[in-house]
Structure formats: structure tokens, C-alpha cells
Amino acid sequence: MAGLARIAAFLTIILASQPAAAAEFERNIMTGGPQGTYIQIGRNVADLGKACGISLTVQPSAGSLENFVGVRNRRNTQFGIVQSDVLEYLKTFEANDPEVQQAVRGVKIMFPLYNEEVHVLARSDIKDMKGLEGKTVAVGVKDSGTFLTSSLILDILQVKTGARVPLNPDAALPKLLAGEIDAFFYVAGAPASLFKDNKIDGARFHLLPIADAPLLATYTASRIDAGIYDFQTQPVDLIAVKAVMMTYDYDVKRNAYQRESCKAVSDFSNLILNNLDKLQQSGHPKWKDVDLTALPPGWQVGVCVKAGMALDYKPACKAPASATGQQAGWKRGISQSPEAAAEEELGRQSTSAMTTKKPACQTPAFYYASDDRYVLFDVYAE
């Protein structure tokens, strides 16, 4: 397939690039474009760190492929958000491709996140995916997840476009509005700011339905309801991919940088897990769809992530407990502050003691089992 060949060629190029080492230790998360969902999710995570006195720089990027390789190769980059079909592609070709083996080595799952809808915004006279035949279609820049997804979808459906233009969605939208292209792909969690914050004429443009049976073997059926975007007055059925937060399996015995990076991964794993309710209440709407049990098959959770999930783990918070907000007792997965949560857990004698003592207030939380699965564990309030 031509699309897969282009992806493999690009992967070889970016794996050969090694950035210069930074002088000081930093924490970074690779996200996406300025109007995308990834960058908003990254900012939400950075805000958790800020409340705890731990800095995290949100780095914009072209998307999933750059983010995956960034976690593997880019110094001071501990986190990256990636589409699950990128992971499936890498895992499929890992055994027979040394370049893919190099890309995958050491990269681990941190958290599964939410479903990302595959948006295809097109002229209103184009009715479905087959209608893209012979048309000029923007498919995303070559280091993005949108590029991989659009290439896979067009190849699976055997749609021969007139031209596949390597434009990111931010650049593609004005070209579509100006009549320079016929449609463009954008993989992003709905509601995507690009479509909410820009005026789009619903009489001239619409989201294409994507319900073709061959795609459902790889992608999840989804729907964008009417009114999510002003220009879309009718619901549209389409497909989605899972967004996943990735990290690296740092070796604390190797050097100081690896130890600090592992600590950063453990800290943010703990903060996200124990503040998931807060993220769902005040973060991007897609946090409400996060399912911590939906780990992609064939991928393992990192050792540093597991360390942060331990019941007695305490993040290295520097801010006072009041800075993160007081809560009365435990809610589901969130305490009055990250530090207070850790202090409460340190005061508990053992897992067995907790499972036998059951006060009236009972709330579930997640932890990692040894076989790389999330399982439910009961944490009880005093």
C-alpha cells in the first residue's frame, strides 16, 4: 500500500534524527497542534503538576508519530500522546522491520485516554468516502497521526484521490473554505476547537459519514451529535481511534537523568490517577470518556508508571495542600490534595488491613496488577 510505504519511509527518517542534549533536567509532554485536543489535554496535566509545584512544559507537535518517536529519542521528553492505530501499525510491523523495532524499544503505556473521532470535512456535494475519488484531499503532515489514519483509511477503502496534500488541519481549513482543496482529514477528540472556534458555512461544508464495513475491523464506531458543531445540524456516524499517553521505561540504576525522568513519570502517574475526578469536572470534556482499563493489546505498562500507582507512593509536591484545593474525605480516585492523599495512604498498615476494615464511606480506585492490567481495588475513607 502506498500510504503504508510513505509512513515507513518517514519513520526511518525521524528515527535517524537525534536532538542535542539539554543542559538541565526538564519535564516535557509532546501533544499536537494549537487548536487540537492533545494540547488541551497536555495543559490539563501540566496544571495538575503546577498545583503540586512540579513543572511540565507542553510541547506542540505535528502529532502522533512525532510524539511516539519523541518519547523514545527526544531528551527531557517523558510523555507523548499517541493514537492507538499508530501503536497497532508499529506492533504489526515490529517483527520484520529493524527500524520499527528501534522505535518501539523501551516505549511503554502510561494511560489509555479517550476515543478520537475521525473528522473528514468536505464540500457539501461530496456525500461519502467514495465521493473523494479524484478529489484533492489534505491528509495531514507526514509526522502526524492524522496522516497515518487518513492513509490507512483511503488505502483500506481503495479510494484513489486526485491528490493527497500534506497539510495539517489548521492550514487545510482555510484552503477548503477558499475552494483550493475538496476535503481534509482531522483526527481529534470532539468537540475539536478547530471546528468550534472557526466560522464554517453548513450550507457549503459538512462532515462525511464514515461507516464503511471494512474500517470497523480496525476502528471503533462513533457518532457526533447534531449541534456539537454549529455547521453540523444533523448527527453523523463515523469512526474513532483511542488516544493513549505513552512514556519510556527509564532505568533508575543507569544515571541521574534516568532516575529523575522515572520520578517524573511516577509523580504524574499518581497525580493523574488521584485527580481523575478533578480532570473530568474541570478539564477538557474528553476526560469524561477516559477508561483506564482500555489498554491496547500487546503493549505493556512501564515500571515507573507502576511505581506511581503504588498505594504508598507520595508525589514530590512542593506546593502547600491548600493550593490544590481541600476536599472532605475521599471522592472516587481523588483526595483533598495529592500530598494529603499520599499521607493518608502511608498511614495505612497493609492491603489486607484495608480489605477487612470497611467503614461506611467506600470508594474504588485503580492500581496496576503485575500482569500489566488495571484492576479495581477498594480504598476506604477514615
Side-chain angles (χ1 to χ4, degrees):
M1 291 183 178
L4 293 180
R6 286 192 291 268
I7 294 164
F10 172 74
L11 189 60
T12 300
I13 293 170
I14 56 177
L15 280 169
S17 310
Q18 290 288 346
E24 297 180 2
F25 178 77
E26 301 171 0
R27 304 170 194 86
N28 288 274
I29 179 170
M30 301 284 287
T31 58
Q35 297 189 71
T37 305
Y38 283 3
I39 201 163
Q40 297 176 65
I41 294 294
R43 288 168 180 161
N44 293 158
V45 174
D47 286 343
L48 284 183
K50 183 178 180 180
C52 184
I54 304 174
S55 63
L56 176 67
T57 301
V58 178
Q59 297 289 352
S61 76
S64 289
L65 284 171
E66 182 180 353
N67 296 351
F68 187 96
V69 177
V71 168
R72 176 69 177 82
N73 283 3
R74 189 178 186 271
R75 188 170 175 82
N76 287 322
T77 302
Q78 297 84 9
F79 313 102
I81 306 176
V82 178
Q83 292 169 203
S84 59
D85 57 349
V86 172
L87 302 185
E88 184 171 343
Y89 167 80
L90 292 170
K91 186 59 67 175
T92 299
F93 291 93
E94 178 184 8
N96 300 316
D97 191 327
E99 297 292 347
V100 175
Q101 292 172 14
Q102 173 71 6
V104 168
R105 188 175 298 116
V107 181
K108 302 291 184 181
I109 292 287
M110 183 170 173
F111 288 110
L113 295 174
Y114 51 85
N115 283 341
E116 297 184 273
E117 286 74 20
V118 180
H119 302 74
V120 181
L121 187 66
R123 297 195 329 253
S124 56
D125 60 304
I126 300 173
K127 301 303 182 184
D128 53 26
M129 295 299 291
K130 291 294 185 182
L132 297 177
E133 192 89 23
K135 301 297 192 295
T136 300
V137 181
V139 294
V141 294
K142 293 184 179 180
D143 44 359
S144 69
T146 292
F147 176 78
L148 183 142
T149 300
S150 61
S151 299
L152 289 174
I153 289 174
L154 292 172
D155 286 348
I156 289 171
L157 297 179
Q158 298 182 8
V159 173
K160 295 182 179 180
T161 60
R164 298 186 186 185
V165 183
L167 288 174
N168 65 37
D170 293 334
L173 177 58
K175 288 189 176 295
L176 176 65
L177 300 181
E180 297 178 34
I181 61 175
D182 300 306
F184 72 91
F185 280 79
Y186 186 28
V187 181
S193 295
L194 179 67
F195 296 133
K196 288 189 70 70
D197 298 344
N198 291 280
K199 186 173 180 57
I200 300 171
D201 185 354
R204 296 177 58 207
F205 306 102
H206 70 141
L207 293 175
L208 292 186
I210 312 175
D212 307 75
L215 298 175
L216 297 179
T218 302
Y219 298 95
T220 301
S222 186
R223 167 176 284 202
I224 293 180
D225 292 329
I228 295 295
Y229 303 120
D230 291 341
F231 64 88
Q232 195 72 34
T233 59
Q234 298 293 325
V236 58
D237 292 323
L238 35 70
I239 55 176
V241 298
K242 180 73 71 177
V244 181
M245 188 174 293
M246 307 297 292
T247 187
Y248 188 75
D249 218 16
Y250 297 102
D251 182 359
V252 296
K253 298 179 180 179
R254 185 174 176 184
N255 55 42
Y257 170 76
Q258 297 258 336
R259 286 191 295 275
E260 287 294 326
S261 291
C262 187
K263 176 66 174 171
V265 172
S266 298
D267 285 347
F268 277 95
S269 297
N270 190 279
L271 289 172
I272 293 171
L273 185 64
N274 286 332
N275 288 279
L276 184 57
D277 274 6
K278 180 179 179 180
L279 291 167
Q280 291 173 338
Q281 292 165 9
S282 59
H284 188 277
K286 275 296 183 181
W287 283 107
K288 295 182 175 66
D289 298 334
V290 169
D291 179 3
L292 296 179
T293 67
L295 293 172
W299 289 86
Q300 295 180 329
V301 173
V303 171
C304 304
V305 177
K306 292 180 183 179
M309 298 301 100
L311 293 175
D312 61 351
Y313 186 83
K314 181 178 180 179
C317 290
K318 300 175 184 177
S322 60
T324 56
Q326 295 290 335
Q327 302 276 345
W330 281 84
K331 288 186 178 180
R332 175 181 164 86
I334 180 171
S335 70
Q336 57 267 44
S337 74
E339 283 188 316
E343 290 292 347
E344 287 184 8
E345 291 307 320
L346 283 171
R348 305 182 191 282
Q349 297 300 312
S350 66
T351 298
S352 60
M354 283 187 290
T355 56
T356 56
K357 180 183 178 182
K358 295 190 176 184
C361 179
Q362 175 177 326
T363 54
F366 288 101
Y367 83 108
Y368 279 114
S370 59
D371 58 350
D372 298 310
R373 293 180 296 108
Y374 281 109
V375 297
L376 282 171
F377 190 87
D378 287 334
V379 180
Y380 303 108
E382 293 293 337

